[in-house]
């Protein structure tokens, strides 16, 4: 996998996971969705699962193949396309600012560490009353 495609997969997975939320159609049979999640899922977690879905979708050679991937797995193609649009905008910004794009070389641990680092600023701890308080605000 090239550096650019790895970066695109991570960015798009992040967008799909945060902005889009559930990329599986809610109106599908729950048993079908569970089987699809098991089929496409990664033991490393949801972010890696989203990366795998994005990679599978973008490596499809034809639009028909892309549509089949979505319909066979109960995926919302509109959500995946929205993530691709965001990726294009981010890629253009990085080019304009002349920032390098680095690859994880398909290493899930590196990708997970990247996510953890990015999310650490927003880490929270559950309080006895059930609410959450940011770790930085202690």
């Amino acid at each position: 996998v090239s550096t650019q495609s790895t970066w695109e997969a991570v960015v798009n997975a992040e967008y799909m996971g945060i902005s889009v939320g559930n990329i599986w159609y809610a109106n599908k049979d729950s048993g079908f969705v569970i089987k699809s999640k098991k089929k496409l899922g990664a033991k490393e977690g949801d972010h890696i699962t989203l990366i795998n879905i994005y990679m599978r979708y973008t490596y499809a050679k034809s639009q028909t193949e892309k549509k089949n991937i979505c319909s066979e797995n109960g995926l919302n193609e509109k959500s995946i396309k929205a993530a691709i649009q965001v990726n294009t905008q981010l890629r253009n910004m990085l080019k304009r600012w002349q920032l390098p794009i680095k690859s994880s070389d398909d290493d899930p641990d590196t990708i997970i560490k990247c996510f953890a680092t990015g999310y650490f600023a927003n880490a929270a701890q559950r309080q006895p009353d059930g609410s959450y308080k940011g770790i930085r605000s202690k």
Side-chain angles (χ1 to χ4, degrees):
V1 176
S2 72
T3 300
Q4 186 173 3
S5 62
T6 302
W7 176 82
E8 288 175 3
V10 171
V11 168
N12 283 302
E14 189 63 14
Y15 176 76
M16 286 191 297
I18 293 172
S19 299
V20 176
N22 191 358
I23 63 165
W24 278 272
Y25 276 115
N27 60 354
K28 288 281 187 180
D29 172 40
S30 63
F32 175 82
V33 172
I34 291 169
K35 285 180 186 175
S36 176
K37 286 181 179 181
K38 284 183 180 179
K39 177 180 164 186
L40 299 173
K43 66 179 179 174
E44 296 85 1
D46 292 343
H47 289 292
I48 304 300
T49 298
L50 292 173
I51 291 170
N52 291 342
I53 290 169
Y54 174 80
M55 297 290 265
R56 182 178 282 189
Y57 182 85
T58 56
Y59 287 153
K61 299 201 185 320
S62 69
Q63 190 60 36
T64 303
E65 191 177 345
K66 290 177 182 187
K67 286 191 179 299
N68 287 341
I69 289 168
C70 292
S71 65
E72 290 169 7
N73 295 294
L75 300 171
N76 185 340
E77 188 174 19
K78 188 175 179 179
S79 297
I80 297 171
K81 286 182 176 183
I84 292 169
Q85 279 186 318
V86 168
N87 172 266
T88 301
Q89 293 170 0
L90 290 172
R91 190 174 346 114
N92 290 338
M93 288 167 51
L94 289 174
K95 285 180 184 176
R96 188 173 5 157
W97 296 330
Q98 299 177 350
L99 295 172
I101 299 171
K102 296 182 181 178
S103 174
S104 66
D105 295 325
D106 294 331
D107 178 14
D109 289 336
T110 302
I111 295 169
I112 292 167
K113 286 177 188 175
C114 178
F115 287 136
T117 301
Y119 285 131
F120 185 75
N122 296 316
Q125 185 175 29
R126 188 173 182 166
Q127 302 300 305
D129 66 357
S131 65
Y132 288 88
K133 184 175 183 178
I135 290 176
R136 286 187 162 189
S137 61
K138 280 191 169 186

